[in-house]
Amino acid sequence: MRILLIGPHGTLGSAVRAALHERGHELVTASRTGADLHVDITDPDSVRALYDQAGPVDAVANAAGWVPWRPLAELTADDVRAGLAGKTLSQVELVRQGLHRLPAHGSFTLVTGILAREPLLTGSVASLANGAVEAFVMAAAIELPGRQRINVVSPTVFEESLGAYGDTFAGFDAVPVARAAAAYVKSVEGHQTGRVFRVA
């Protein structure tokens, strides 16, 4: 398959890229920097240009997204809007603009995280954004044209990232990032739709 991978860098993106490459897929990567194509997924015009430049693809896999981590009492309206734009609206836009670009057998794989179901201090916007994406995926699955599919990978913290988070995820069972990458493979190559693939 020819797969458009957004966010091919970082811990998760690199693992997804490696897993899909090992499965023999042709990858077209997109990011703000250092990829085959440039994209700012928070900008609908940039997403439109991305699809124009990418050409025909069988699947879209996203490993990108950003939210602010701040205490609830310190959150501004701009923080909330930025988190929804960076993690929720951006992924909705990838699907909204992509559903008429992908073939009947095409698929979308989005990303959330454990904060959709396990809240943490300073993570209220992350929980909000992740939960919204998961609800969207379940709803979008019954409206996609043809036999198109959509799923979301929702991992816990990665073993490879624990050092960067300090005590933030104290008591959580970390997983190797390769397990999350395998969930992307399952979503891309499988037949299920409307699923939240929890990696924990």
Short mmCIF file of all heavy atoms in Angstrom, two decimals, residues 65-69 82-84 86-87 125-126 129-130:
data_model
loop_
_atom_site.label_atom_id
_atom_site.label_comp_id
_atom_site.label_asym_id
_atom_site.label_seq_id
_atom_site.Cartn_x
_atom_site.Cartn_y
_atom_site.Cartn_z
N GLY A 65 0.49 15.48 16.89
CA GLY A 65 -0.52 16.18 17.68
C GLY A 65 0.12 16.84 18.88
O GLY A 65 1.15 16.38 19.38
N TRP A 66 -0.48 17.94 19.32
CA TRP A 66 0.10 18.70 20.43
C TRP A 66 -1.00 19.27 21.30
O TRP A 66 -2.05 19.70 20.79
CB TRP A 66 0.97 19.84 19.90
CG TRP A 66 1.52 20.72 20.98
CD1 TRP A 66 2.67 20.53 21.68
CD2 TRP A 66 0.91 21.91 21.51
NE1 TRP A 66 2.82 21.53 22.62
CE2 TRP A 66 1.77 22.39 22.53
CE3 TRP A 66 -0.26 22.60 21.23
CZ2 TRP A 66 1.47 23.55 23.27
CZ3 TRP A 66 -0.56 23.75 21.96
CH2 TRP A 66 0.30 24.21 22.96
N VAL A 67 -0.76 19.26 22.62
CA VAL A 67 -1.65 19.92 23.57
C VAL A 67 -0.81 20.60 24.64
O VAL A 67 0.29 20.14 24.97
CB VAL A 67 -2.63 18.93 24.25
CG1 VAL A 67 -3.61 18.35 23.26
CG2 VAL A 67 -1.87 17.84 24.98
N PRO A 68 -1.32 21.69 25.23
CA PRO A 68 -0.61 22.32 26.35
C PRO A 68 -0.84 21.54 27.64
O PRO A 68 -1.93 21.00 27.86
CB PRO A 68 -1.24 23.71 26.43
CG PRO A 68 -2.62 23.52 25.90
CD PRO A 68 -2.53 22.45 24.85
N TRP A 69 0.18 21.46 28.47
CA TRP A 69 0.07 20.85 29.78
C TRP A 69 0.19 21.97 30.82
O TRP A 69 1.28 22.47 31.08
CB TRP A 69 1.18 19.82 29.99
CG TRP A 69 1.01 18.56 29.18
CD1 TRP A 69 1.09 18.43 27.85
CD2 TRP A 69 0.70 17.27 29.70
NE1 TRP A 69 0.87 17.13 27.48
CE2 TRP A 69 0.64 16.39 28.60
CE3 TRP A 69 0.51 16.77 31.00
CZ2 TRP A 69 0.36 15.04 28.74
CZ3 TRP A 69 0.24 15.42 31.13
CH2 TRP A 69 0.16 14.57 30.02
N ALA A 82 -5.91 26.09 21.50
CA ALA A 82 -4.68 25.55 20.90
C ALA A 82 -4.63 24.03 21.03
O ALA A 82 -4.21 23.33 20.10
CB ALA A 82 -3.46 26.19 21.55
N GLY A 83 -5.05 23.50 22.18
CA GLY A 83 -5.04 22.06 22.37
C GLY A 83 -6.02 21.35 21.45
O GLY A 83 -5.72 20.30 20.88
N LEU A 84 -7.21 21.94 21.30
CA LEU A 84 -8.19 21.34 20.40
C LEU A 84 -7.73 21.42 18.95
O LEU A 84 -7.91 20.48 18.17
CB LEU A 84 -9.55 22.02 20.58
CG LEU A 84 -10.27 21.71 21.90
CD1 LEU A 84 -11.50 22.57 22.05
CD2 LEU A 84 -10.63 20.24 21.98
N GLY A 86 -4.55 21.54 17.96
CA GLY A 86 -3.36 20.74 17.78
C GLY A 86 -3.58 19.24 17.79
O GLY A 86 -2.83 18.49 17.17
N LYS A 87 -4.65 18.79 18.48
CA LYS A 87 -4.84 17.35 18.61
C LYS A 87 -6.18 16.86 18.05
O LYS A 87 -6.27 15.73 17.55
CB LYS A 87 -4.74 16.95 20.10
CG LYS A 87 -4.65 15.46 20.40
CD LYS A 87 -3.30 14.89 19.99
CE LYS A 87 -3.15 13.42 20.33
NZ LYS A 87 -2.81 13.18 21.75
N VAL A 125 -6.56 19.41 29.24
CA VAL A 125 -6.77 19.67 27.81
C VAL A 125 -6.42 18.42 27.00
O VAL A 125 -7.10 18.11 26.01
CB VAL A 125 -5.94 20.88 27.35
CG1 VAL A 125 -6.05 21.05 25.84
CG2 VAL A 125 -6.40 22.14 28.05
N ALA A 126 -5.41 17.69 27.41
CA ALA A 126 -5.07 16.44 26.73
C ALA A 126 -6.22 15.44 26.83
O ALA A 126 -6.57 14.76 25.85
CB ALA A 126 -3.79 15.85 27.31
N ALA A 129 -9.03 16.67 24.49
CA ALA A 129 -8.73 16.48 23.07
C ALA A 129 -8.76 15.01 22.69
O ALA A 129 -9.31 14.62 21.65
CB ALA A 129 -7.37 17.09 22.75
N ASN A 130 -8.14 14.16 23.52
CA ASN A 130 -8.11 12.73 23.22
C ASN A 130 -9.50 12.12 23.22
O ASN A 130 -9.85 11.33 22.33
CB ASN A 130 -7.23 12.00 24.24
CG ASN A 130 -5.75 12.27 24.05
OD1 ASN A 130 -5.33 12.72 22.99
ND2 ASN A 130 -4.97 12.01 25.06
#
